[in-house]
Amino acid sequence: MKISPQSILVAKELINSKCIQFNTKEPFTWASGIKSPIYCDNRRILSFPSAVDSLLKAFVSVINASEQLANCDGIIGVATGGIPLGFAIATHLQKPFCYVRPEPKKHGLKKQVEGAEERIQKAVVIEDLVSTGGSSIKAIEGIRKEGIEVLHLISIMTYGIGKATQRFQE
């Protein structure tokens, strides 16, 4: 598997900002229930403006390298970790931004996708982290219910778990 220069840059930023933590004595419990000696807290990177700028440049580079992605109608961030970077990317690209939560709200407008979603027909989805892929799949299903085509999902980090790959292929 070839690792892109953007991936190397993002990995360095995650390590330098101490987003990635290791603990072999007391493994971390992820939202999926998996216990792991590695934990990545992407929310921490928001405290490092130069790191955010590097991530922004890396993501914009990936999007602009594909004509299909560059021609998307908007960017959708997955709540909550994909919102800040997704918003920065959308602003940089001058495209509409929305965000998607895991499920529709139980009150108000009862929306799952928030923003002017009617302005977006084809979207690039920004996720902060992929482990088993469960939250990403829920987000994509919610986006599709709004009639929006998901062109691609880009994540700050993935643990490379085969279950996520299988889910995305399905």
Side-chain angles (χ1 to χ4, degrees):
M1 173 166 125
K2 184 179 177 192
I3 299 175
S4 71
Q6 293 91 349
S7 294
I8 292 168
L9 173 71
V10 168
K12 285 180 180 177
E13 293 293 359
L14 293 174
I15 291 167
N16 291 339
S17 59
K18 297 184 178 156
C19 292
I20 299 177
Q21 302 288 315
F22 300 93
N23 189 338
T24 56
K25 293 180 181 172
E26 293 181 38
F28 302 98
T29 303
W30 297 344
S32 63
I34 293 174
K35 296 203 177 286
S36 172
I38 303 169
Y39 184 78
C40 183
D41 181 2
N42 287 318
R43 291 162 298 279
R44 182 175 167 80
I45 206 157
L46 299 174
S47 298
F48 299 87
S50 65
V52 173
D53 190 53
S54 292
L55 265 64
L56 172 64
K57 289 175 182 170
F59 275 58
V60 167
S61 172
V62 168
I63 291 168
N64 285 335
S66 163
E67 186 176 340
Q68 181 190 29
L69 300 186
N71 289 323
C72 71
D73 299 317
I75 305 294
I76 301 177
V78 177
T80 60
I83 293 173
L85 185 58
F87 178 74
I89 293 165
T91 301
H92 182 85
L93 295 174
Q94 290 294 289
K95 297 198 183 267
F97 175 78
C98 292
Y99 71 88
V100 59
R101 55 172 55 92
E103 57 188 41
K105 288 192 323 187
K106 304 280 190 246
H107 59 282
L109 298 177
K110 300 180 180 179
K111 294 173 76 172
Q112 184 171 2
V113 178
E114 295 282 2
E117 69 279 354
E118 71 278 359
R119 294 190 63 207
I120 303 173
Q121 279 77 55
K122 296 179 181 184
V124 173
V125 177
I126 306 299
E127 176 73 278
D128 72 324
L129 186 134
V130 174
S131 59
T132 63
S135 62
S136 300
I137 297 296
K138 275 186 182 178
I140 290 168
E141 288 170 350
I143 293 166
R144 287 179 174 163
K145 283 180 187 172
E146 294 296 326
I148 301 169
E149 180 184 350
V150 174
L151 298 176
H152 203 72
L153 181 136
I154 306 172
S155 176
I156 296 172
M157 187 190 152
T158 179
Y159 288 103
I161 296 175
K163 185 175 186 178
T165 304
Q166 179 185 353
R167 282 179 158 170
F168 289 138
Q169 287 173 346
E170 290 171 357

